[in-house]
Amino acid sequence: MPDHTPPPHPARPVGAAAALTVEDIREAHKLLSGVARATALESSRYLSGLVGAPVHLKCENLQRTGSFKIRGAYVRIAGLTAAERAAGVVAASAGNHAQGVALAASLLGVRSTVFMPVGAPLPKVAATRDYGAEVRLHGQVVDETLAAAQEYAHRTGAVFLHPFDHRDIIAGQGTVGLEILEQCPEVRTIVVGVGGGGLAAGVAVAVKALRPDVKVIGVQAAGAACYPPSLAAGHPVAVEGLSTMADGIKVGRPGDVPFRIVEELVDEVRTVSEDALAGALLICLERAKLVVEPAGASPVAALLAEPGAFEGPVVAVLSGGNVDPLLMQRILRHGMAASGRYLSLRLRLTDRPGALATLLGVLTEVDANVLDVGHVRTGPRLGLTEVEVELHLETSGPEHCTEVTAALRGAGYRVAESE
């Protein structure tokens, strides 16, 4: 295997990050040897062509438990005293942190209790139990779940493990940055998803200490972006009304510890739309053959949204791959629609033999692939001899969608796009 030692740049202390140094992250990396995988760095020809420079994907979606969270959880638990370990640990999470804590605690012989929302996806609940945690379902939203976990810690003496607001957690996540510098010494830009900020802060401490010339860019979902207003205010600001499919970065307030590091060391925090997230997930699946959750695909979404804004070579961190299959199905359909490859239409036919066959014949002529057909024969807006048909079509792009719609209207059908 070739030597990927980063070019010599003297390690330097950083102001607000002085409480956490690259040496702390190196110690965490040693501690994680044999525990966390040094995940692959895969080149993306498609994204490289789009950006106009080499783009590599850091595949933390292939990490143990399906995300980077095992890194920080293991380092945090390993740093507990014997008395703290004996008391056990408790966490609150809807998914990735839960699984990381469960496995890390099991590997270290520590009892773990994980509180999860009542509506948490069943595969994530089952995986957390399989990794050895006692799972307690409580609350409809993560804030309620978090309060229950903190109350449990106060009542029992168990150590509460925050998902991002602790230096040991950040040190563990920062090992991703060390691996990137080893695997891609020529890197110029690292793009990473941001929720509470633990991963971005850890990567920034590691990278800026060794390679201050490398840009670190954070990405948040536009519907759950707590960092832009916080950075503008100069302190963590809580935002409400969060709405995004990227539940892994759906955080209403930055952590106090990671915020100061992100404020000083991260070059920029961008936001991306839901359409961009869905499109990024689709690109990861189709082009890179990687299953990635929406939060993990956020760096790719940023590249898709403004490819010319990133100096290459670029490394995009795919932070996780734990996505519920039903959610994946909906997201992929949304992503196809956003990219003009999925079209839903409603139109009316005369309810007589052969009417549907005639309609399908028009679609055949324009090479539209019919995925599903639905019929409504009774309704206050329908005439006695009318039937409403809803079509779900696979198309090849926006121009093909326009062609399909024009062909149907040219054949005399009144067409409306389904919501």
Side-chain angles (χ1 to χ4, degrees), residues 219-241:
V219 183
Q220 292 207 290
C226 59
Y227 263 89
S230 298
L231 292 170
H235 58 83
V237 172
V239 296
E240 298 179 353

Side-chain angles (χ1 to χ4, degrees), residues 226-261:
C226 59
Y227 263 89
S230 298
L231 292 170
H235 58 83
V237 172
V239 296
E240 298 179 353
L242 306 182
S243 178
T244 178
M245 67 178 76
D247 58 349
I249 53 174
K250 188 179 179 181
V251 176
R253 182 185 184 278
D256 292 326
V257 179
F259 174 78
R260 291 302 172 191
I261 299 173

Side-chain angles (χ1 to χ4, degrees), residues 11-179:
R12 62 182 181 91
V14 228
L20 180 68
T21 69
V22 69
E23 293 305 323
D24 296 321
I25 296 174
R26 281 173 168 153
E27 287 301 313
H29 202 233
K30 292 177 185 176
L31 187 63
L32 288 168
S33 177
V35 176
R37 298 188 179 112
T39 52
L41 196 72
E42 298 288 344
S43 297
S44 171
R45 185 170 62 178
Y46 176 79
L47 291 174
S48 297
L50 198 66
V51 171
V55 175
H56 308 283
L57 306 175
K58 177 63 172 166
C59 299
E60 284 296 292
N61 59 311
L62 303 180
Q63 183 58 264
R64 297 183 71 176
T65 75
S67 87
F68 69 97
K69 291 287 190 177
I70 179 66
R71 297 175 183 263
Y74 189 90
V75 173
R76 175 77 172 97
I77 298 172
L80 299 178
T81 66
E84 288 171 328
R85 291 193 189 197
V89 297
V90 60
S93 170
N96 290 344
H97 182 57
Q99 295 174 64
V101 167
L103 179 58
S106 294
L107 293 173
L108 290 164
V110 176
R111 184 178 69 258
S112 65
T113 303
V114 175
F115 284 77
M116 303 182 76
V118 172
L122 294 179
K124 293 185 178 182
V125 174
T128 303
R129 286 196 175 111
D130 288 344
Y131 287 128
E134 177 190 347
V135 174
R136 300 192 179 192
L137 301 178
H138 184 92
Q140 299 298 320
V141 295
V142 174
D143 286 345
E144 295 173 357
T145 308
L146 182 63
Q150 291 172 323
E151 188 279 329
Y152 177 89
H154 178 75
R155 176 166 47 85
T156 65
V159 178
F160 176 70
L161 303 183
H162 198 282
F164 49 81
D165 206 10
H166 193 281
R167 67 181 305 279
D168 289 348
I169 293 284
I170 297 171
Q173 322 305 30
T175 60
V176 174
L178 290 183
E179 289 179 14

Side-chain angles (χ1 to χ4, degrees), residues 14 19 21 34 42-43 164-165 173 177 181 184 208 223 225 230 253 260 270 278 287 324 339 355 365 397 402-403 415:
V14 228
T21 69
E42 298 288 344
S43 297
F164 49 81
D165 206 10
Q173 322 305 30
L181 293 183
C184 186
K208 292 296 186 177
S230 298
R253 182 185 184 278
R260 291 302 172 191
R270 291 172 164 256
R287 300 285 183 154
D324 180 68
S339 62
E365 290 176 2
T402 302
E403 181 187 355
V415 180

